[in-house]
């Protein structure tokens, strides 16, 4: 069976930044493969394109330039916020706003976002809302473990919940239903902490 729309696909992969010789950013092995519904719109289009028509036991190598992955770094997504918005029960949580921390936030329109604390001064916090992989070229190598028809349940879950992972890891710490897709990088369009071909 070959990979096509609405097939459940299970893959191992290794993601390197800056080309073949770059550092390994993340990987998914056979014990915790990336499992997703192909064509559901939750994976990077260029990643899916590189898997098209492949079948179980095929290997793949996919290079995705930053422009086709998570885009270039957007300077407008680096903003100064008043320190007071990080106040909880009348006190500012200093540990929360430590530089390097990733902080879940919500926009004025109710959109969930993940921001990286860049710096903190007496009155403000500089936050970076770019995807962690913005500006990075992605180089994937891996193997197709399995391709099968999706069940009605899997189709309904993917298209109604907006989740592109399966039950496997390798795409953050988990799969659909346990926060892995939403918060660990493979799911919503504003995923923040993982590459894994996710949108």
């Amino acid at each position: 069976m070959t990979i096509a729309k609405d097939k459940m696909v299970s893959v191992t992969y290794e993601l390197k930044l800056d080309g073949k010789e770059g550092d390994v950013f993340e990987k998914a092995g056979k014990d915790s493969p990336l499992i997703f519904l192909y064509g559901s719109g939750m994976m990077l289009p260029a990643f899916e394109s590189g898997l098209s028509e492949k079948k179980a036991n095929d290997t793949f190598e996919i290079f995705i330039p930053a422009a086709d992955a998570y885009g270039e770094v957007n300077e407008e997504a680096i903003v100064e916020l008043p320190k007071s918005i990080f106040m909880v029960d009348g006190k500012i949580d200093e540990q929360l706003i430590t530089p390097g921390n990733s902080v879940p936030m919500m926009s004025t329109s109710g959109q969930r976002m993940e921001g990286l604390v860049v710096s903190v001064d007496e009155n403000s916090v500089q936050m970076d809302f770019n995807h962690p992989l913005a500006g990075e070229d992605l180089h994937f190598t891996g193997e197709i473990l399995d391709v099968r028809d999706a069940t009605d349940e899997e189709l309904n879950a993917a298209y109604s919940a907006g989740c592109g992972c399966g039950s496997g890891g390798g795409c953050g710490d988990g799969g659909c239903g346990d926060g892995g897709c939403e918060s660990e990088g493979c799911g919503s369009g504003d995923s923040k902490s993982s590459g894994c071909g996710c949108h």
Side-chain angles (χ1 to χ4, degrees):
M1 182 179 291
T2 58
I3 294 176
K5 184 170 172 56
D6 291 342
K7 301 294 184 188
M8 289 300 295
V9 180
S10 175
V11 304
T12 64
Y13 71 87
E14 186 172 82
L15 168 60
K16 292 183 177 180
L17 307 183
D18 301 320
K20 281 185 186 181
E21 308 307 318
D23 294 330
V24 175
F25 181 76
E26 68 180 23
K27 57 186 176 181
K30 291 185 178 180
D31 56 338
S32 59
L34 165 63
I35 304 170
F36 65 97
L37 181 65
Y38 188 89
S40 62
M42 297 303 159
M43 306 300 284
L44 288 170
F47 182 78
E48 287 201 340
S49 178
L51 299 179
S52 180
E53 299 297 317
K54 291 188 179 294
K55 56 188 184 301
N57 300 317
D58 283 354
T59 58
F60 61 87
E61 181 173 358
I62 304 169
F63 175 75
I64 308 177
D68 295 328
Y70 296 100
E72 300 297 341
V73 173
N74 177 7
E75 295 300 329
E76 292 182 6
I78 303 172
V79 297
E80 295 279 342
L81 298 175
K83 207 171 182 180
S84 59
I85 69 171
F86 297 93
M87 196 169 287
V88 179
D89 298 328
K91 293 175 64 176
I92 291 175
D93 185 345
E94 297 291 346
Q95 281 191 316
L96 179 68
I97 55 173
T98 300
N101 271 5
S102 187
V103 182
M105 303 187 75
M106 190 171 287
S107 70
T108 53
S109 61
Q111 178 187 8
R112 291 189 306 162
M113 305 182 298
E114 199 83 11
L116 181 72
V117 179
V118 178
S119 63
V120 181
D121 63 25
E122 188 176 346
N123 299 308
S124 64
V125 179
Q126 187 179 56
M127 301 287 293
D128 184 353
F129 290 100
N130 282 289
H131 189 283
L133 291 177
E136 298 283 0
D137 296 330
L138 310 181
H139 184 263
F140 292 91
T141 53
E143 180 183 0
I144 314 296
L145 298 181
D146 187 44
V147 182
R148 63 174 174 80
D149 291 323
T151 64
D152 289 341
E153 182 181 27
E154 288 166 334
L155 290 168
N156 289 336
Y159 289 115
S160 63
C163 193
C165 295
S167 58
C171 207
D173 292 332
C176 294
D178 66 1
C181 288
E182 295 280 332
S183 63
E184 297 297 337
C186 186
S188 63
D190 59 352
S191 60
K192 291 296 170 191
S193 65
S194 179
C196 66
C198 306
H199 197 42

